[in-house]
Amino acid sequence: MLFLVYILRVPLKINDNLSTVSMFLNTLTPKFYVALTGTSSLISGLILIFEWWYFRKYGTSFIEQVSVSHLRPLLGGVDNNSPSNSNTNNGDSDSNRQSVSECKVWRNPLNLFRGAEYNRYTWVTGREPLTYYDMNLSAQDHQTFFTCDTDHLRPADAIMQKAWRERNPQARISAAHEALELNECATAYILLAEEEATTIVEAEKLFKQALKAGEGCYRRSQQLQHHGAQYEAQHRRDTNVLVYIKRRLAMCARKLGRTREAVKMMRDLMKEFPLLSMFNIHENLLEALLELQAYADVQAVLAKYDDISLPKSATICYTAALLKARAVSDKFSPEAASRRGLSTAEMNAVEAIHRAVEFNPHVPKYLLEMKSLILPPEHILKRGDSEAIAYAFFHLQHWKRVEGALNLLHCTWEGTFHEVSVYPKKELPFFILFTAGLCSFTAMLALLTHQFPELMGVFAKAFLSTLFAPLNFVMEKVESILPSSLWHQLTRI
């Protein structure tokens, strides 16, 4: 009975509160509404300015980052983008293939050396050739591939773990030298070869020193990899380091004109670590084989990697189109083809170009030199403009070498319909758009309230009355349903 009385008293208290609120609203002056909307507009504007500054500096929304990093784990959310998915050893090929196939932004397999190549642009123009977003992705890659949980047990590796997180290039280089004073550290040599060496010859010399240190670490960790999870993680890191060093040494040989030596190094590396497809060494091999004009070997590599179960790339698609075009391009004539029709070989070449353009529609304009080439980024967006730049930067010479190939491409590519994408295009997070909309709305309310305070006061009262109308309706229904005598007794209680 007491519980029933308590339940019935709740609507009475709500009714009294609504009456009090109604009286309070009627006593408010227009100046109050002006101050209220002005304060709301100021606060939302400050939040918008802070969100925009944080987004420009770190590439993400502060509110979104806090909600994902702190609130989501408390609510039981699971992060599917765990960095552990990006590392793999020789027994994790299936999981690696699955995680790689879902990736959109890839590390450019043919990325240049920062010290020996990218810095030349800085010396000449005084501007940075890489965006902050691109370098931030590289920093994440370095921490993923070149560090592990046991680094704090070794002083040199602990220093390098901090070095990869440094934003200042000179701080990273100083940390690498500090690590080398303690021990022969392979990752320290890698950093110096990438960022301090001013020529490819210097970079190759440092990578050879890194190879010597990396092979020793790899052999030691290989013997202990089955002794626990920490040893297995350390072996995976040492494997990544060794593969990276050998791949970069092969690229140094290619840049220094020792192309056959580079091809051999790449083939040996792919045989030694066949399941580490995340480095895309086959794309380096394709470019080197094209330089040697070893088209039969190029076709053999394509037959292995141009598979439906593997992720495509502009290198694979356009190289396949180049080989098909090579068979007919020297004698191809648009006028003759329109009169007699396309032959089987010409049809195959046209279809291959169409497939390539469907995959990445940006490439033809760079190959046909309708758009100017720039230095390729360290990361590319599959099917985006950045991938087209990276491909054309290294493969334009191979298309020019095949007589008539660019002419066939020019006659064919415009017939392929496609949806154009752009990179790097960072869409604004929802919270920045929401805050901008909220700031604009409150600013408009503040302006209208300042210009028409009495009219906006009437609108505010009408809005609040409409907002509380459902509660008033419920109270009226309760009063009409309950007997008047019972209602009177409950009121007295």
Side-chain angles (χ1 to χ4, degrees):
M1 181 62 181
L2 292 175
F3 179 73
L4 179 61
V5 171
Y6 175 76
I7 294 298
L8 293 174
R9 287 180 64 184
V10 172
L12 296 177
K13 291 184 178 181
I14 295 176
N15 193 21
D16 293 339
N17 292 335
L18 291 177
S19 301
T20 305
V21 171
S22 179
M23 293 176 58
F24 173 74
L25 293 176
N26 291 328
T27 60
L28 294 178
T29 62
K31 292 182 179 180
F32 171 80
Y33 294 105
V34 174
L36 178 63
T37 52
T39 305
S40 301
S41 177
L42 176 63
I43 293 174
S44 57
L46 293 175
I47 295 175
L48 174 62
I49 292 172
F50 175 76
E51 277 283 286
W52 179 252
W53 169 82
Y54 194 89
F55 174 73
R56 290 294 299 273
K57 187 173 183 180
Y58 298 104
T60 184
S61 166
F62 174 77
I63 300 176
E64 185 176 356
Q65 185 179 21
V66 170
S67 61
V68 171
S69 302
H70 301 286
L71 299 181
R72 188 177 180 184
L74 294 177
L75 298 176
V78 179
D79 188 4
N80 295 325
N81 298 324
S82 174
S84 61
N85 291 337
S86 60
N87 279 343
T88 182
N89 56 13
N90 292 352
D92 297 330
S93 59
D94 294 336
S95 62
N96 177 58
R97 177 174 296 182
Q98 182 179 1
S99 63
V100 168
S101 62
E102 296 173 355
C103 180
K104 294 182 179 179
V105 179
W106 293 60
R107 187 166 181 84
N108 183 7
L110 294 167
N111 65 304
L112 304 177
F113 293 86
R114 285 190 184 179
E117 293 175 306
Y118 282 122
N119 276 352
R120 294 182 184 177
Y121 179 81
T122 306
W123 298 337
V124 174
T125 65
R127 293 184 295 177
E128 292 292 336
L130 299 173
T131 64
Y132 172 77
Y133 177 72
D134 197 7
M135 291 188 291
N136 186 49
L137 290 177
S138 296
Q140 295 177 18
D141 289 341
H142 296 153
Q143 294 176 57
T144 300
F145 294 140
F146 300 150
T147 64
C148 65
D149 295 335
T150 60
D151 283 346
H152 65 279
L153 301 177
R154 295 172 299 279
D157 289 334
I159 293 175
M160 290 307 301
Q161 193 173 39
K162 296 179 181 179
W164 295 120
R165 293 196 294 265
E166 286 285 350
R167 293 179 59 186
N168 189 342
Q170 290 303 321
R172 290 196 297 270
I173 292 173
S174 299
H177 283 293
E178 183 182 351
L180 288 176
E181 291 177 359
L182 299 176
N183 193 8
E184 289 291 308
C185 182
T187 54
Y189 283 121
I190 289 176
L191 192 148
L192 295 178
E194 291 285 353
E195 301 194 26
E196 188 182 43
T198 57
T199 64
I200 301 298
V201 175
E202 293 178 11
E204 185 181 37
K205 181 179 178 180
L206 288 169
F207 272 120
K208 288 181 178 179
Q209 293 176 279
L211 179 62
K212 183 178 179 181
E215 286 179 336
C217 293
Y218 176 76
R219 285 192 295 268
R220 288 192 295 271
S221 63
Q222 190 176 29
Q223 297 173 357
L224 301 173
Q225 64 174 318
H226 300 299
H227 292 189
Q230 289 186 343
Y231 291 104
E232 185 176 350
Q234 186 175 345
H235 176 66
R236 184 161 55 245
R237 189 277 305 271
D238 293 338
T239 302
N240 291 335
V241 170
L242 185 62
V243 172
Y244 185 90
I245 294 170
K246 290 187 175 182
R247 172 174 162 269
R248 291 304 255 178
L249 277 172
M251 293 177 68
C252 287
R254 166 70 182 90
K255 292 175 184 292
L256 293 173
R258 307 196 306 269
T259 310
R260 294 189 183 278
E261 178 185 345
V263 168
K264 183 180 184 304
M265 295 171 68
M266 293 173 192
R267 289 187 183 278
D268 293 341
L269 186 57
M270 293 168 65
K271 290 179 182 178
E272 187 177 2
F273 301 97
L275 299 179
L276 282 178
S277 58
M278 59 184 173
F279 288 103
N280 290 329
I281 305 171
H282 59 277
E283 296 195 13
N284 300 91
L285 179 61
L286 285 172
E287 196 279 327
L289 289 173
L290 286 172
E291 177 64 21
L292 295 175
Q293 301 185 41
Y295 297 111
D297 293 334
V298 172
Q299 184 61 53
V301 175
L302 286 176
K304 182 178 180 181
Y305 288 96
D306 191 6
D307 186 82
I308 193 172
S309 64
L310 294 173
K312 298 285 187 180
S313 68
T315 300
I316 290 178
C317 295
Y318 278 90
T319 301
L322 176 61
L323 293 187
K324 294 285 179 62
R326 176 176 171 269
V328 298
S329 60
D330 56 337
K331 300 177 181 178
F332 178 78
S333 172
E335 295 79 8
S338 62
R339 289 195 305 269
R340 58 174 171 77
L342 294 175
S343 64
T344 302
E346 291 173 338
M347 182 63 69
N348 291 337
V350 170
E351 290 179 354
I353 293 176
H354 277 194
R355 285 195 300 269
V357 175
E358 285 289 350
F359 179 83
N360 192 320
H362 303 272
V363 173
K365 286 190 176 182
Y366 289 106
L367 291 179
L368 298 172
E369 299 182 81
M370 297 179 179
K371 294 179 70 175
S372 299
L373 275 175
I374 60 174
L375 291 179
E378 291 186 336
H379 287 80
I380 57 175
L381 180 69
K382 282 298 182 70
R383 313 185 76 168
D385 189 66
S386 58
E387 185 188 30
I389 293 172
Y391 172 78
F393 188 87
F394 294 100
H395 288 262
L396 176 59
Q397 57 180 334
H398 306 316
W399 280 81
K400 287 184 174 180
R401 189 179 292 123
V402 177
E403 183 182 356
L406 290 175
N407 178 45
L408 179 59
L409 175 67
H410 180 70
C411 296
T412 305
W413 77 278
E414 291 181 336
T416 306
F417 299 97
H418 48 75
E419 180 181 352
V420 177
S421 58
V422 180
Y423 175 79
K425 181 181 180 182
K426 296 185 290 183
E427 295 185 357
L428 289 176
F430 165 76
F431 288 105
I432 290 183
L433 298 175
F434 174 77
T435 308
L438 180 63
C439 179
S440 303
F441 178 71
T442 53
M444 182 184 66
L445 283 182
L447 179 62
L448 292 175
T449 306
H450 183 266
Q451 295 293 329
F452 313 101
E454 295 181 357
L455 182 60
M456 292 301 294
V458 173
F459 281 142
K461 292 176 182 178
F463 173 75
L464 293 174
S465 300
T466 306
L467 186 64
F468 289 111
L471 290 176
N472 290 327
F473 177 77
V474 172
M475 294 303 304
E476 291 175 359
K477 287 297 182 181
V478 171
E479 291 179 1
S480 63
I481 292 174
L482 292 177
S484 59
S485 58
L486 178 59
W487 186 258
H488 180 70
Q489 293 295 328
L490 293 175
T491 305
R492 292 182 60 186
I493 294 175

